[in-house]
């Protein structure tokens, strides 16, 4: 789910986009060299326009959630982008940029074609790999009273949101009110909070100090769950369907909008 380099962790999907963008720049530079033109500015412009349009599209779709906190619209840490909008706007922008720069047309198209193909093939391959390991790992966690329970049995039989967090993690603390509100309002979804690496006393003190009334708070003192799902960064949130299958995940802070988008994905998969 993520790649950690020292203190920095990047979600695989966002890291893949950066790698493909770098490949696009490299291919564009080599392809444009013989014509003595530069396509760097055009590549950057197309990418920025695509990402901006994708963000605006996502905000419009979840305006009800964003209007309660307008500043959150520009906080892209929640990962709120509409992929189809990015693809469509990127394609239209590519055509326009190529039409306006006939000398750089071939190099620009070649660069974006290679970058997009690498992204598409890698994304498809990663999804195929995920299909072979969809079940939530079987691990034991402890309730705050010290009783050990099977994580798979907690809120079993309904869609679940499993949040991996720690008291020392600033984005974990910022998203807690959002998750608490969702837990209180969405009784048909099971919310489980699995603390990574801390003991019950520390967790209870934190919940009391922050006046948080959370249900299903568990302690995973050795951080086994994070290790098994392939994410060492916090917060990480897992989305499980009613059959106990891991259908989606989010690395980083969740907003109301991004949480709703993920839950809608679960509902759509359940219907299918």
């Amino acid at each position: 789910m993520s790649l950690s380099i020292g203190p920095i962790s990047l979600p695989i999907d966002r890291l893949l986009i950066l790698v493909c963008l770098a490949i696009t720049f490299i291919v564009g530079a080599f392809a444009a060299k013989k014509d003595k033109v530069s396509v760097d500015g055009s590549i950057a412009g197309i990418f920025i326009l695509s990402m901006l349009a994708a963000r605006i599209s996502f905000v419009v779709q979840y305006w009800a959630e964003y209007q309660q906190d307008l500043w959150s619209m520009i906080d892209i840490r929640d990962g709120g982008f509409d992929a189809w909008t990015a693809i469509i706007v990127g394609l239209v922008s590519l055509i326009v940029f190529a039409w306006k720069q006939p000398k750089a047309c071939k190099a620009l198209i070649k660069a974006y074609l290679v970058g997009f193909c690498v992204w598409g093939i890698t994304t498809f391959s990663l999804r195929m790999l995920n299909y072979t390991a969809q079940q939530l790992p079987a691990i034991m966690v402890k309730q705050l009273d010290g009783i050990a329970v099977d994580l798979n049995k907690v809120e079993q039989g309904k869609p679940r949101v499993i949040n991996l967090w720690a008291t020392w993690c600033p984005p974990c603390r910022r998203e807690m009110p959002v998750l608490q509100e969702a837990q209180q309002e969405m009784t048909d979804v099971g919310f489980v909070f699995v603390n990574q690496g801390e003991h019950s006393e520390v967790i209870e003190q934190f919940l009391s100090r922050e006046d948080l009334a959370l249900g299903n708070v568990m302690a995973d003192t050795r951080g086994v769950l994070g290790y098994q799902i392939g994410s060492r960064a916090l917060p990480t949130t897992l989305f499980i369907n009613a059959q106990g299958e891991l259908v989606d995940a989010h690395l980083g802070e969740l907003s109301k909008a991004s949480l709703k988008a993920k839950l809608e994905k679960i509902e759509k998969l359940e219907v299918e």
Side-chain angles (χ1 to χ4, degrees):
M1 287 177 53
S2 66
L3 177 66
S4 297
I5 304 174
I8 300 174
S9 290
L10 278 175
I12 292 296
D13 56 349
R14 278 165 254 182
L15 178 62
L16 177 60
I17 290 175
L18 294 178
V19 170
C20 291
L21 180 61
I23 291 173
T24 304
F25 274 112
I26 293 170
V27 173
F30 277 103
K33 190 175 182 180
K34 68 176 182 178
D35 295 324
K36 297 181 180 180
V37 294
S38 174
V39 294
D40 288 355
S42 298
I43 291 173
I46 294 169
F47 179 76
I48 292 171
L49 285 173
S50 301
M51 292 298 100
L52 183 60
R55 180 61 177 181
I56 292 172
S57 176
F58 186 85
V59 169
V60 170
Q61 291 177 58
Y62 297 98
W63 174 246
E65 285 71 33
Y66 281 112
Q67 66 180 346
Q68 300 173 26
D69 181 11
L70 296 179
W71 285 109
S72 64
M73 291 189 298
I74 61 175
D75 188 356
I76 61 174
R77 292 175 298 182
D78 68 354
F81 294 91
D82 185 77
W84 281 112
T85 300
I87 293 172
I88 293 170
V89 171
L91 179 60
V92 173
S93 300
L94 175 60
I95 294 171
V96 172
F97 274 73
W99 178 69
K100 287 186 175 182
Q101 302 175 71
K103 288 185 178 181
C105 178
K106 289 183 179 179
L108 193 57
I109 293 175
K110 186 181 293 184
Y112 257 92
L113 184 61
V114 171
F116 183 77
C117 286
V118 171
W119 174 81
I121 293 171
T122 308
T123 300
F124 178 79
S125 300
L126 288 173
R127 288 188 177 181
M128 289 300 100
L129 286 174
N130 286 340
Y131 287 146
T132 66
Q134 281 187 322
Q135 289 294 325
L136 183 68
I139 70 166
M140 300 297 291
V141 293
K142 288 186 178 181
Q143 298 175 342
L144 296 185
D145 58 8
I147 298 176
V149 296
D150 183 346
L151 181 60
N152 280 284
K153 299 294 179 62
V154 181
E155 298 285 5
Q156 189 177 35
K158 62 169 70 172
R160 283 173 287 172
V161 177
I162 300 180
N163 182 250
L164 283 68
W165 68 287
T167 63
W168 49 263
C169 165
C172 298
R173 297 197 296 266
R174 287 195 301 266
E175 72 178 3
M176 279 296 172
V178 171
L179 293 169
Q180 176 180 252
E181 182 180 342
Q183 186 179 46
Q184 293 171 349
E185 293 179 354
M186 303 177 187
T187 55
D188 57 334
V189 178
F191 286 81
V192 186
F193 302 88
V194 184
N195 181 278
Q196 297 292 284
E198 297 178 300
H199 293 281
S200 300
E201 295 79 7
V202 175
I203 301 170
E204 289 178 325
Q205 290 173 8
F206 168 79
L207 295 176
S208 176
R209 184 171 64 250
E210 299 296 323
D211 195 26
L212 291 169
L214 301 175
N216 299 323
V217 180
M218 309 290 166
D220 178 13
T221 54
R222 295 186 296 167
V224 175
L225 180 57
Y227 177 79
Q228 290 203 12
I229 64 170
S231 179
R232 308 305 294 271
L234 298 176
T236 293
T237 307
L238 310 178
F239 295 86
I240 316 295
N241 64 17
Q243 290 72 46
E245 297 171 329
L246 177 60
V247 295
D248 205 350
H250 182 88
L251 177 62
E253 185 176 347
L254 279 165
S255 65
K256 287 185 178 181
S258 55
L259 176 60
K260 184 177 180 180
K262 295 291 187 182
L263 291 173
E264 285 178 351
K265 181 176 178 179
I266 294 180
E267 292 177 6
K268 184 179 178 180
L269 291 171
E270 292 286 349
V271 172
E272 293 176 353

